[in-house]
């Protein structure tokens, strides 16, 4: 498994398979994205990718979830654990289809509406779709004019405090990766920002674990001298 700084899941939902696929493809087209795993079963697609955000490595799990037909009753459960949800809507579709997709949104994740179209949508279609998204307090963007990946990463980044206190990430479903856990500066900054936080709850470096396991009879940690 590749090392990363932070990881999170993105659920792409919608009643139109073409719209969902266009959203996923728009993310994977980025030159900064490396696909690590791909899997598909029963029309549900799962992609694990690594995104290099100017040196910060993000592991993004993209779950493409159909919300139509027999999947309508289970889609919401498949989206649980997502930090960001992207509703892929076809600009020419009826508003009832948009509502059907939105009904699967979890209350504890950020929602983005991606307006897609196989053919060039009219300005009226785009306007109506944007108005619907705004009425639901969703952030909306139109594929081809804005980058879904950029908006998804920016949305997740707003949820990460500095330093990334694990307790502050509860409910966001954002994972702290090994590149952060093993960083001594991160551990020190976390203790400084949380005076009452015991060091024992932080990740323990390998050299510290080794030292603790070799205490002498006086209970002191042996020191290495030149």
């Amino acid at each position: 498994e590749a090392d990363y700084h932070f990881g999170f899941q993105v659920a792409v939902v919608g009643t139109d398979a073409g719209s969902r696929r266009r959203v996923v493809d728009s993310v994977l087209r980025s030159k900064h994205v490396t696909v690590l795993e791909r899997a598909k079963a029963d029309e549900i697609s799962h992609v694990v990718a690594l995104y290099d955000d100017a040196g910060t490595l993000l592991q993004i799990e993209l779950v493409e979830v159909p919300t139509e037909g027999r999947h309508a009753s289970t889609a919401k459960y498949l989206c649980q654990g997502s930090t960001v949800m992207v509703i892929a809507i076809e600009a020419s579709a009826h508003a009832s289809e948009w509502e059907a997709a939105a009904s699967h949104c979890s209350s504890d994740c950020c929602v983005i509406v991606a307006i897609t179209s196989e053919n060039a949508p009219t300005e009226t279609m785009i306007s109506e779709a944007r108005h619907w998204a705004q009425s639901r307090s969703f952030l909306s963007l139109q594929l081809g004019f804005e980058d879904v990946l950029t908006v998804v990463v920016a949305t997740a980044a707003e949820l990460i405090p500095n330093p990334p206190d694990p307790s502050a990430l509860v409910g966001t479903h954002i994972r702290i990766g090994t590149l952060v856990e093993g960083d001594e500066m991160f551990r020190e900054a976390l203790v400084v920002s949380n005076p009452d936080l015991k060091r024992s709850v932080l990740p323990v470096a390998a050299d510290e674990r080794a030292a603790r396991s070799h205490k002498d009879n006086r209970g002191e940690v042996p020191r290495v001298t030149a």
Side-chain angles (χ1 to χ4, degrees), residues 106-214:
S106 173
S107 59
D108 62 348
C109 72
C110 303
V111 179
I112 299 169
V113 173
I115 305 169
T116 80
S117 183
E118 186 174 0
N119 303 308
T122 65
E123 287 299 323
T124 299
M125 291 178 181
I126 295 297
S127 178
E128 289 178 351
R130 284 186 180 277
H131 178 73
W132 171 80
Q134 291 170 359
S135 69
R136 297 292 302 265
S137 298
F138 296 153
L139 174 65
S140 67
L141 58 94
Q142 183 179 349
L143 288 185
F145 293 92
E146 296 179 74
D147 185 359
V148 172
L149 180 59
T150 299
V151 176
V152 164
V153 169
T155 301
E158 289 182 357
L159 302 175
I160 303 175
N162 186 19
D165 186 340
S167 63
L169 293 176
V170 173
T172 68
H173 306 297
I174 294 177
R175 305 182 302 277
I176 293 179
T178 54
L179 294 180
V180 173
E181 289 179 345
D183 190 326
E184 183 65 22
M185 292 182 64
F186 156 69
R187 297 172 64 237
E188 291 179 357
L190 194 56
V191 171
V192 170
S193 63
N194 296 270
D196 298 328
L197 187 66
K198 301 297 184 182
R199 185 171 286 268
S200 60
V201 305
L202 300 176
V204 181
D207 57 342
E208 289 186 38
R209 287 197 296 269
R212 290 180 184 180
S213 65
H214 291 86

Side-chain angles (χ1 to χ4, degrees), residues 3-159:
D3 292 328
Y4 58 90
H5 291 92
F6 301 97
F8 57 91
Q9 178 174 294
V10 178
V12 181
V13 304
T15 58
D16 180 71
S19 295
R20 296 194 305 269
R21 176 49 47 190
R22 283 190 285 276
V23 169
V24 173
D25 288 346
S26 73
V27 171
L28 301 182
R29 274 199 301 267
S30 171
K31 64 180 180 180
H32 301 294
V33 168
T34 301
V35 176
L36 303 177
E37 298 176 25
R38 281 180 181 268
K40 187 170 184 177
D42 197 22
E43 300 179 20
I44 300 169
S45 172
H46 183 263
V47 180
V48 179
L50 200 64
Y51 174 62
D52 187 345
D53 183 21
T56 299
L57 298 180
L58 304 175
Q59 187 187 80
I60 302 176
E61 295 184 39
L62 279 169
V63 183
E64 182 188 343
V65 182
T67 58
E68 68 276 15
R70 58 194 177 87
H71 295 287
S73 60
T74 58
K76 191 167 186 175
Y77 301 103
L78 294 171
C79 296
Q80 288 182 347
S82 297
T83 298
V84 181
M85 181 175 289
V86 180
I87 304 177
I89 65 173
E90 170 63 41
S92 61
H94 191 273
S96 61
E97 294 185 42
W98 306 340
E99 286 293 339
S103 66
H104 300 283
C105 294
S106 173
S107 59
D108 62 348
C109 72
C110 303
V111 179
I112 299 169
V113 173
I115 305 169
T116 80
S117 183
E118 186 174 0
N119 303 308
T122 65
E123 287 299 323
T124 299
M125 291 178 181
I126 295 297
S127 178
E128 289 178 351
R130 284 186 180 277
H131 178 73
W132 171 80
Q134 291 170 359
S135 69
R136 297 292 302 265
S137 298
F138 296 153
L139 174 65
S140 67
L141 58 94
Q142 183 179 349
L143 288 185
F145 293 92
E146 296 179 74
D147 185 359
V148 172
L149 180 59
T150 299
V151 176
V152 164
V153 169
T155 301
E158 289 182 357
L159 302 175

